[in-house]
Amino acid sequence: GERLDRILKARLPAYSRARLIKAIKEGCCRVDGLVVHHADMKMRAGQDITLELSSEECSITPEAKELEVIWHDTSLTLVNKPPGLTVHPCPSCPEGTLVHRLLAHFPDLKQQEGLRPGIVHRLDKDTSGLLLVALTEETRLRLSAFFAERQVYKEYLALVHGVPSKEGACREPIGRHPTRKILMSILPENRGGKAAHTTWRRLWKSPDGRFSLLAVRIFTGRTHQIRVHMAHLGHPLLGDLLYKPATYTDVAQRQMLHAWQIAFPHPHTQEKLSFSCPPPNDMLQTILAMTQRMQRIVITGNPGCGKSSFAKLLHEHGLPLFDADAHVRMYYAPDGHGWNFLHSHYGMRFFAADNNVNRPLLLAAMREDPALRRHIEEYIHTLVRHDLAAFWEKQERDGHRKAVAEIPLFFEAGWNQPISKQPPSSPPPSLQEKTPQELVVAVHCPLQERHARLHATRGWSAADAATIESWQWSAERKEKAASFVIDNSGSESALAEQVTLFLKQIDLHEKEKEQALRKHIESLWHDTGVSSKT
């Protein structure tokens, strides 16, 4: 009463049921001497069954190329697949696959038929990491059963946009995208979606909150599972061109996903095996590149201290320069925003006969009326700060490692604090970047020397200097709040020497930060917690 194919499968466990059914249909099976073609025919006790299996060796031509073997015995091997390598042949990639390399290193794989000899699970082309390969058909069947029964532990390293919660899970079903067949998507089970279960734990997040490093575990093996689930949660993988929205930008050259841990029972001895493998260097380099932001250097100080001289010397070393005072002058020029602001609020009160702003008259009014000064400064400062933000963004976009802004009232205007309100058109929280911290340099010069310089270069009286000074923080307070203090009480050559020393200090500090980050990140994926074999 048993089916023919089931009887054969029980006698020949090293062969897949599909291959046995194929052999029966091709006339390779005789029952009591007669050829039969129906795999489901019911058998009777005492019948004689003969099966003649022809050798169906794999037709793929081996390719003797590099293959990183992590571990192997006579029945299975574990390899570290590099990114950019397709696992098995397909119409779009008939050669140059991992299988071609496996056949060169393990010739016995040719005894398994088809285009996927030994393959029991897959990694996407641009995903790197650990891949199990069965060296015999019997091992392949047993490992396939382990995967189906969820006896295989798999964990990945992933770089994702934004900062997900410390731990989390996603159980949304996944199916083929209804209109774009190359994509998978979140799809209800009643529309073809299949159950999928992904969990993660956050290992690290970047200082600016732009991206995070996750350890992601999958309990099911749906196509593109991690990529689909993380994109659905608003944290797509860096470099994922299929599932990352166009508004998300990064420098990754592939989807940043690496199969770093695997654990399973040996298919024959039942020994519990576990392995880990750190990711290729491109993942670390992506972290370092994404973390490295342009150094924003702010030069400030009290009137006459020489902050402009210091800023110009930095500019001569190739650093882009933003001059806040120059932007103020631009806004006060005829038909500038500041000019129009004064005209609309105060008429011709602060204008000379030639329609230019009468700066001495405006200064005297601001001295007499603090409320008027605050009103005008608030408007002008808002304009200049907008220009400054655009300057920082452009210089970083253009690839500059450092940029300088001379801002006399940086502290007084509150610009040492981040902008608290996001504009109405701001991106979702996962895309909002925290503003990189500015490195503030206060230029020091004794009070008497500063006033003498102001009188010689600008014609300021002692009263003028005292008035402007009273509107600012004291030199001592600025210097205490700054990251660096540059002494400009000496000669021009002495100041130039300090510029050179300052730039060397910044470069050294950046290298130290990068080395510390590199060491910390590498410790995260070497501290596996699950592996007994590395």
Side-chain angles (χ1 to χ4, degrees), residues 423-445:
S425 60
S426 62
S430 61
L431 281 178
Q432 290 176 358
E433 300 177 12
K434 294 182 180 178
T435 303
Q437 186 68 38
E438 295 93 349
L439 190 152
V440 183
V441 179
V443 179
H444 169 80
C445 184

Side-chain angles (χ1 to χ4, degrees), residues 242-303:
L242 279 181
Y243 298 103
K244 181 183 68 174
T247 51
Y248 290 68
T249 59
D250 58 66
V251 299
Q253 299 301 305
R254 65 174 178 101
Q255 70 250 13
M256 287 288 105
L257 188 62
H258 173 76
W260 79 317
Q261 292 185 3
I262 192 167
F264 57 95
H266 192 283
H268 300 295
T269 67
Q270 300 305 308
E271 177 189 2
K272 292 184 178 180
L273 301 174
S274 57
F275 301 87
S276 70
C277 179
N281 192 51
D282 66 344
M283 185 170 278
L284 177 59
Q285 292 303 318
T286 297
I287 291 174
L288 295 177
M290 289 283 289
T291 307
Q292 187 181 72
R293 301 296 301 275
M294 182 187 74
Q295 181 62 68
R296 303 179 176 191
I297 303 171
V298 169
I299 309 299
T300 193
N302 291 68

